[in-house]
Amino acid sequence: MILEDLGPTYIKLGQIMSLRSDILPKRYCDELMKLCSDVAPMPFDQVVDVIQDAFGCPWQEEFQSIEEKPLGSASIAQVHRAVLKSGEQVVIKVQRKGIYRTMARDIGLMHKVVRLLPPVSIKEMVDLDLVLDELWKVTQEEMNFLTEAANIEEFHRKNRDVAFVDTPVLYREYTTPHVIVMEYIDGFSIDDKENLQENGYDLNEVGSKLIDNFIKQVMVDGFFHADPHPGNLRVRDGKIVWIDMGMMGRLSEHDREEIGRAIEGIALNDIGMIQDAVLAIGEFRGKPDQSKLFEDIRNLMAKYGSEDLGNIDIAEIMQDLMEVMKENKITMPHGLTMLARGLAHIEGVLADISPEINMMEIASARVKSQMFEEMDWKKELKNSGKTLYRSLRKAIDIPTLLADILQGQMKGQTKVNLDLHAGEDVTNLLRRVTRNIVMGLWVMALLISSSIICTTDMKPKFLGIPALGAFGYFIAVIIVFYVFAKHIFSKRK
């Protein structure tokens, strides 16, 4: 609510932070995801100014009419219904006047505030400069409507063979960096269950097709809608229409392969496979502790390992995996954090319109069918043959290697190289133990040597005993007090 009051820059900052479930706790991300950018609309005269600046002529030369009341108003732009001179029903998405300067100024101020924060603060958990840079990069892309136009065309091209998916027609000739014109989509919102059923739609079928297409976008295309809330999904003429392509996610082929490997690891209950996938995708913020990561993934698998596939919530698994990554200081690629957001929205839509459908089952069926469709059997057989040949060659050498090892053992020439890794807690414990032992030896040596000196008649004397012996006792007492104080403070921490 505070972010909403502060204005569009801070709303957008909250939206970006809602993607970072690898940094923020899940409940914070869930709350920030409620920032749907519904802000007060700008006056219609400013809308007219932006349109006329973009087209270089009065809007009446291109449109028959423009409705003054917007269909929706967001942090960066607002949408008005209009009619072209040719009579076609369209919507005009108009960028807020002066929004670029406002956001550039606000982000510059936030960078200055970050530099003033003390070292021991939230800066230890989050690289705020990195977050602000990401915010500015994403926002600049959203503020350039030519990018959104390219997204619409790419999405349409990748899904044109899917019979039940559609996108709004884009009017390229009316599209500029600050204004974009698209076909007006009527139909029904995907969560309008009553009207959908009255018009003969099967909600289970709608839900299944929605999930199947989203999984295709992620695992096949690597280009997916990152903000699939009900306002961006409509059903018209038997097709699911995806609108508002301002926020899209991308996954590289490498990322898709590793996600597939992680899903396979979950299915096979193979912790090592999941760990390898996480390490291949993520980036450590500090020194990695692979034993802790292995243990955390094992605890995660203990939670889901006994579950039937039909009872597994893929969005919940994704969030739990993000929590594991956060605990192990692993930063995920931007595409994967956007995927987590998209899955949360899709799961919400599915729970509303068709709660009995399980996303995991549909995802597994899609991944399996795609794997068999795209598998190059000739290449797979060739690779398997090469692997088998190399394994046989190495197997032939095993008896010789064993003989060499036994011969070396008999002659006492065997050497064993150990590379031991300890966690940070164990390392600190060993360091403290070693330090205390050394301090104890110092105290013992000082007491013995001082006691020997005190049996002599060495001068000068202090309080009737040799001053050197008294000095040794004093140093020993100081060391004892230091070790005692260190122990007390460490227990408090």
Side-chain angles (χ1 to χ4, degrees):
M1 290 166 66
I2 292 170
L3 291 174
E4 285 176 344
D5 288 341
L6 286 172
T9 305
Y10 301 90
I11 290 173
K12 187 54 64 177
L13 174 64
Q15 289 177 328
I16 298 300
M17 287 306 298
S18 74
L19 301 174
R20 301 316 302 257
S21 48
D22 59 331
I23 295 176
L24 291 179
K26 181 179 182 296
R27 62 194 185 96
Y28 279 79
C29 293
D30 290 344
E31 188 65 30
L32 290 172
M33 209 174 283
K34 296 175 184 176
L35 287 165
C36 52
S37 298
D38 289 332
V39 298
M42 62 176 167
F44 186 67
D45 58 342
Q46 291 186 16
V47 174
V48 170
D49 289 343
V50 174
I51 293 174
Q52 293 185 166
D53 288 343
F55 294 159
C57 64
W59 65 266
Q60 291 87 349
E61 293 186 16
E62 305 292 348
F63 301 94
Q64 287 185 24
S65 63
I66 300 176
E67 291 186 3
E68 290 194 18
K69 185 179 179 181
L71 294 173
S73 178
S75 57
I76 288 177
Q78 64 189 50
V79 178
H80 290 259
R81 190 170 177 179
V83 181
L84 290 174
K85 283 287 187 180
S86 57
E88 293 162 290
Q89 298 285 328
V90 296
V91 293
I92 311 172
K93 187 174 180 180
V94 183
Q95 191 175 115
R96 286 183 173 270
K97 193 172 184 178
I99 188 65
Y100 190 97
R101 289 192 303 275
T102 301
M103 297 197 75
R105 180 199 64 208
D106 288 348
I107 290 172
L109 288 172
M110 282 191 265
H111 272 297
K112 290 180 180 178
V113 170
V114 168
R115 287 195 287 270
L116 295 175
L117 289 176
V120 181
S121 66
I122 193 173
K123 290 169 76 175
E124 291 185 345
M125 298 183 295
V126 184
D127 187 341
L128 293 175
D129 280 313
L130 184 65
V131 171
L132 291 173
D133 288 339
E134 183 176 340
L135 162 66
W136 187 228
K137 180 182 176 183
V138 172
T139 306
Q140 282 179 303
E141 290 178 359
E142 280 198 64
M143 285 192 290
N144 185 355
F145 290 167
L146 295 177
T147 302
E148 182 173 349
N151 289 341
I152 294 171
E153 290 173 335
E154 182 176 355
F155 188 89
H156 176 75
R157 188 168 60 251
K158 290 181 182 296
N159 289 276
R160 63 186 167 196
D161 294 330
V162 184
F164 56 85
V165 168
D166 203 359
T167 53
V169 173
L170 173 69
Y171 292 86
R172 262 287 186 182
E173 64 272 25
Y174 298 113
T175 299
T176 74
H178 303 114
V179 175
I180 185 169
V181 178
M182 294 170 285
E183 171 192 11
Y184 172 73
I185 303 295
D186 45 14
F188 309 102
S189 176
I190 200 163
D191 61 348
D192 188 357
K193 295 182 285 187
E194 186 177 335
N195 278 321
L196 286 173
Q197 288 176 321
E198 284 179 1
N199 284 269
Y201 287 99
D202 181 345
L203 295 182
N204 287 338
E205 183 183 1
V206 172
S208 298
K209 288 180 175 179
L210 174 68
I211 298 305
D212 183 71
N213 182 245
F214 186 75
I215 298 300
K216 171 198 174 286
Q217 293 173 32
V218 174
M219 298 304 296
V220 180
D221 303 334
F223 181 71
F224 59 93
H225 201 298
D227 197 23
H229 60 77
N232 288 337
L233 292 163
R234 300 192 71 81
V235 179
R236 182 188 68 175
D237 299 333
K239 294 185 178 184
I240 299 170
V241 185
W242 297 76
I243 61 177
D244 191 356
M245 307 285 178
M247 190 179 290
M248 303 295 291
R250 289 187 185 274
L251 292 171
S252 66
E253 186 176 350
H254 169 262
D255 291 343
R256 298 202 302 274
E257 287 176 358
E258 296 304 331
I259 291 172
R261 183 149 64 129
I263 292 173
E264 185 180 352
I266 292 170
L268 298 174
N269 203 18
D270 188 330
I271 300 171
M273 187 179 289
I274 302 170
Q275 183 183 29
D276 290 343
V278 169
L279 291 174
I281 295 174
E283 180 180 339
F284 274 93
R285 302 190 302 271
K287 187 177 180 181
D289 185 349
Q290 296 198 24
S291 59
K292 183 179 184 305
L293 177 61
F294 188 90
E295 183 65 26
D296 288 344
I297 294 176
R298 185 166 66 180
N299 292 336
L300 179 67
M301 292 309 300
K303 178 179 177 181
Y304 294 105
S306 59
E307 289 283 343
D308 192 43
L309 188 65
N311 297 325
I312 291 178
D313 184 336
I314 192 170
E316 186 180 348
I317 287 182
M318 193 76 174
Q319 290 294 344
D320 287 346
L321 193 57
M322 286 289 189
E323 286 295 314
V324 168
M325 294 168 188
K326 183 167 77 268
E327 288 294 322
N328 288 273
K329 298 181 179 179
I330 302 174
T331 302
M332 288 292 101
H334 183 59
L336 204 62
T337 57
M338 295 190 85
L339 174 59
R341 175 193 173 98
L343 282 171
H345 278 311
I346 286 285
E347 187 71 29
V349 172
L350 201 64
D352 185 25
I353 66 170
S354 185
E356 61 271 23
I357 291 179
N358 182 265
M359 192 190 299
M360 192 68 172
E361 290 181 335
I362 298 173
S364 299
R366 157 64 71 173
V367 170
K368 286 176 185 176
S369 65
Q370 195 66 33
M371 182 179 69
F372 281 103
E373 284 175 15
E374 295 186 349
M375 186 174 288
D376 187 340
W377 291 102
K378 184 177 179 181
K379 183 179 177 182
E380 289 295 321
L381 288 171
K382 186 178 179 181
N383 291 337
S384 299
K386 286 181 179 179
T387 303
L388 179 62
Y389 174 72
R390 284 196 297 268
S391 299
L392 289 172
R393 285 289 302 270
K394 290 179 180 179
I396 293 171
D397 294 333
I398 289 176
T400 307
L401 292 172
L402 285 173
D404 291 342
I405 291 170
L406 290 172
Q407 191 175 11
Q409 180 68 34
M410 295 292 291
K411 293 180 180 180
Q413 296 175 345
T414 303
K415 293 182 180 180
V416 179
N417 295 321
L418 292 178
D419 185 11
L420 300 177
H421 296 276
E424 190 176 346
D425 292 340
V426 176
T427 304
N428 290 334
L429 176 63
L430 291 173
R431 189 181 293 115
R432 287 199 301 271
V433 169
T434 305
R435 182 186 63 220
N436 291 343
I437 290 173
V438 171
M439 292 289 189
L441 291 173
W442 271 101
V443 170
M444 183 176 65
L446 285 168
L447 291 175
I448 292 173
S449 58
S450 297
S451 298
I452 293 172
I453 290 172
C454 288
T455 61
T456 67
D457 196 29
M458 183 183 292
K459 296 179 180 179
K461 293 190 176 183
F462 178 74
L463 298 177
I465 62 174
L468 186 60
F471 181 72
Y473 285 134
F474 176 74
I475 296 298
V477 170
I478 292 295
I479 293 174
V480 169
F481 274 113
Y482 170 77
V483 172
F484 181 72
K486 194 84 174 174
H487 176 70
I488 293 297
F489 283 115
S490 65
K491 282 184 72 176
R492 285 181 180 177
K493 288 179 183 178

